[in-house]
Amino acid sequence: TTEAEVCANCGKEGSDTIKLKNCTACFLVKYCSVDCQKTHRKQHKKACKKRAAELRDEKLYSQGHERAEGSFCPLCVLAIPFPLEQHATFRACCSKLVCNGCSLAAHKGGLGESCPFCRSPLPKNREETLAMAQKRVAAKDPEAICQRGTHAKFNDDDVPRATELLTEAAELGSATALYELGSMYMKGEGVAKDEAKAVECWELAAMRGCAESRHNLGASETKKRKYDRAARHFLIAAKMGHKDSLDVIKRMFANGVATKAQYAEALKGCHDAVEEMKSPDRDEYKKWVGM
């Protein structure tokens, strides 16, 4: 027979008239009422906090192993190498990040100065670029809003506006915006310095496939000397092709705080990811610009 579910505080069994509700933090116990939950809180707090942390870690380390959607070229559908801004161009007309290889192929194919993805004519000046971007912002495109946020931060030196835009983009699903917000909180750039808030932003971004945020989480854990947690983050990022994370695991292995197996897995994973990002068009672009 199945053991009856009971209220963790008063012991009442659940029934058609007594509906038991889970502790939503740990899901270890149930209560028949809010009063019982409040009464039992002091007794339950330690176990609840421990299990809630375990559940959070399960989610943190099991999600975000695949690159974020915006880090793939929409034309060749290959992941874009890191750092993204060196290997792709953000198109204000459609908010797409098009890799250098596809841009070169489109130009050779006769598209001239048109966008390789949406075929819109390229803007002739800053005003046209801003008008295109604003159109995408008005359409609530999260990546367009994120770009406007980073522009406000780095080009306009308007940090309050940048924070507002990046927060909106993050709420709409932009992992890049969460990464940028995390960096601002960590450094105290225009916002109160808040390491916990920075880590929270990076965790959300990492679970959405942001390798840069995953790398920063590894660095944060390293500072706390929590090397096992750090290595797990760096390993995930390295297997996405993030070479900086691979380099860190290599140093950790040399210093005895990461295992040989972790380094070997990171090395193979990073190599495989980098190989998968290669294409003839991308190789041709590198030769064309002397990369």
Side-chain angles (χ1 to χ4, degrees), residues 215-232:
H215 178 86
N216 285 356
L217 290 174
S220 178
E221 295 291 5
T222 300
K223 284 198 299 183
K224 301 172 190 173
R225 298 181 183 275
K226 296 182 178 180
Y227 298 118
D228 181 60
R229 295 176 63 85
R232 291 172 72 186

Side-chain angles (χ1 to χ4, degrees), residues 148-159 162 180 189:
R148 291 302 305 141
T150 54
H151 189 279
K153 175 185 172 183
F154 294 109
N155 297 80
D156 301 335
D157 198 25
D158 187 349
V159 177
E180 294 291 349
E189 294 178 336

Side-chain angles (χ1 to χ4, degrees), residues 12-254:
K12 288 181 181 176
E13 289 189 8
S15 66
D16 292 339
T17 55
I18 300 176
K19 302 295 184 183
L20 301 179
K21 293 185 178 179
N22 282 309
C23 170
T24 54
C26 68
F27 296 93
L28 289 174
V29 295
K30 295 188 176 186
Y31 298 102
C32 65
S33 67
V34 174
D35 287 339
C36 271
Q37 186 171 10
K38 288 180 178 178
T39 302
H40 194 247
R41 183 171 295 159
K42 187 175 180 180
Q43 181 181 340
H44 175 57
K45 185 177 179 180
K46 186 175 180 180
C48 181
K49 188 176 181 180
K50 181 176 181 290
R51 181 54 182 157
E54 290 172 351
L55 290 172
R56 176 176 155 276
D57 274 359
E58 286 175 15
K59 188 176 180 182
L60 176 61
Y61 288 110
S62 66
Q63 295 183 8
H65 288 229
E66 300 294 328
R67 295 275 297 273
E69 183 180 348
S71 60
F72 288 83
C73 175
L75 293 173
C76 63
V77 205
L78 294 175
I80 299 167
F82 299 104
L84 302 185
E85 61 273 12
Q86 290 184 15
H87 297 273
T89 301
F90 184 80
R91 303 289 175 171
C93 44
C94 53
S95 299
K96 299 297 183 184
L97 202 58
V98 179
C99 78
N100 294 336
C102 285
S103 292
L104 178 60
H107 182 76
K108 288 173 60 181
L111 272 182
E113 298 303 312
S114 297
C115 171
F117 182 75
C118 69
R119 304 298 195 263
S120 296
L122 294 185
K124 298 182 178 65
N125 49 49
R126 184 173 182 273
E127 287 70 27
E128 285 191 10
T129 301
L130 289 174
M132 282 182 170
Q134 192 53 46
K135 187 176 180 180
R136 298 304 310 159
V137 168
K140 297 296 180 183
D141 185 315
E143 298 312 322
I145 297 169
C146 178
Q147 282 289 320
R148 291 302 305 141
T150 54
H151 189 279
K153 175 185 172 183
F154 294 109
N155 297 80
D156 301 335
D157 198 25
D158 187 349
V159 177
R161 179 60 175 157
T163 305
E164 178 186 339
L165 288 165
L166 289 171
T167 300
E168 181 182 359
E171 291 172 350
L172 290 170
S174 172
T176 303
L178 283 165
Y179 166 76
E180 294 291 349
L181 283 171
S183 299
M184 291 172 72
Y185 280 113
M186 182 60 75
K187 299 173 185 176
E189 294 178 336
V191 294
K193 188 172 181 178
D194 189 336
E195 186 169 345
K197 183 69 175 176
V199 168
E200 180 185 343
C201 289
W202 287 335
E203 285 181 344
L204 290 170
M207 289 188 286
R208 295 178 187 179
C210 177
E212 296 92 336
S213 291
R214 185 71 72 176
H215 178 86
N216 285 356
L217 290 174
S220 178
E221 295 291 5
T222 300
K223 284 198 299 183
K224 301 172 190 173
R225 298 181 183 275
K226 296 182 178 180
Y227 298 118
D228 181 60
R229 295 176 63 85
R232 291 172 72 186
H233 283 304
F234 289 131
L235 178 57
I236 293 170
K239 290 168 78 171
M240 293 185 195
H242 197 267
K243 293 181 181 178
D244 287 348
S245 294
L246 173 62
D247 290 341
V248 175
I249 290 187
K250 182 180 180 179
R251 290 197 298 272
M252 290 176 71
F253 171 55

Side-chain angles (χ1 to χ4, degrees), residues 253-266:
F253 171 55
N255 293 330
V257 291
T259 67
K260 183 178 181 180
Q262 285 173 323
Y263 175 50
E265 186 178 353

